[in-house]
Amino acid sequence: MKSLGCLLQLLVLAVYMTVAFVPAKSEPSRPVSAQPTDPDPWLASETISPSDFAKQLQAKSDPSLKIIYVGVRTLYSGAHIPGAVFHGSGSTPQGIDELKKFAAALPKNSHILIYCGCCPLERCPNLRPAYSALHDLGFTNLKVLILPTSFAADWIEKGYPVEKGS
């Protein structure tokens, strides 16, 4: 289990290094409404800890809950929370568009949990824009899974359930 966490952290680092050093396209793109350096757009009441969410999952207390991973597909394919779906990375305009298209079919009172865990939360380029996009669409039951270090450290290494693939 420890080696899986190390492998996932190395994968996260490799993806980060690849993305950080790839030149930006010269095409203009619309700005994403929240950046990693912005203050958190969510309220404390809109967050949940990994241990509390793992208990909720185990109890299957809300079968209508939509779990949305908003990081990069590579990490989602490596391991994700059971039942989570991927509809684009929150750090790109294309990813936000995919997320909005998916969300358009959901009732505004849907229970939605979003998470990333690609890197330390304070530097995450995905979570804040994804939250802002869903919040701006009018979703009223939106929660953010707080993974301070990474999905590997704060979820997988704690022994919480994962699915692989897709």
Side-chain angles (χ1 to χ4, degrees):
M1 188 58 98
K2 193 84 166 163
S3 63
L4 176 62
C6 290
L7 278 173
L8 281 173
Q9 286 179 335
L10 285 173
L11 180 60
V12 167
L13 181 60
V15 168
Y16 177 79
M17 296 301 288
T18 301
V19 171
F21 294 103
V22 171
K25 291 182 180 179
S26 59
E27 304 171 356
S29 64
R30 65 175 172 76
V32 176
S33 60
Q35 299 301 315
T37 55
D38 291 345
D40 295 336
W42 50 80
L43 302 172
S45 61
E46 296 174 307
T47 66
I48 189 166
S49 70
S51 62
D52 288 343
F53 187 62
K55 288 175 193 169
Q56 264 189 355
L57 271 181
Q58 189 174 31
K60 298 182 188 333
S61 60
D62 187 356
S64 66
L65 175 68
K66 304 291 184 222
I67 305 168
I68 305 172
Y69 174 73
V70 297
V72 295
R73 181 173 288 283
T74 307
L75 296 179
Y76 174 82
S77 296
H80 55 269
I81 294 173
V85 296
F86 175 79
H87 289 284
S89 176
S91 64
T92 67
Q94 298 86 358
I96 293 295
D97 287 344
E98 288 178 40
L99 178 62
K100 286 179 175 180
K101 285 177 191 168
F102 167 74
L106 301 174
K108 298 298 183 206
N109 66 348
S110 295
H111 290 202
I112 298 173
L113 176 118
I114 61 171
Y115 78 100
C116 183
C118 68
C119 60
L121 178 60
E122 63 197 29
R123 294 192 320 252
C124 181
N126 301 301
L127 202 52
R128 288 166 190 85
Y131 171 88
S132 294
L134 292 170
H135 185 267
D136 292 350
L137 287 174
F139 286 94
T140 57
N141 292 312
L142 189 54
K143 288 265 189 199
V144 176
L145 179 63
I146 299 298
L147 300 167
T149 307
S150 68
F151 183 67
D154 300 319
W155 188 269
I156 295 172
E157 289 179 10
K158 304 282 187 205
Y160 300 138
V162 295
E163 288 180 344
K164 297 179 183 207
S166 296

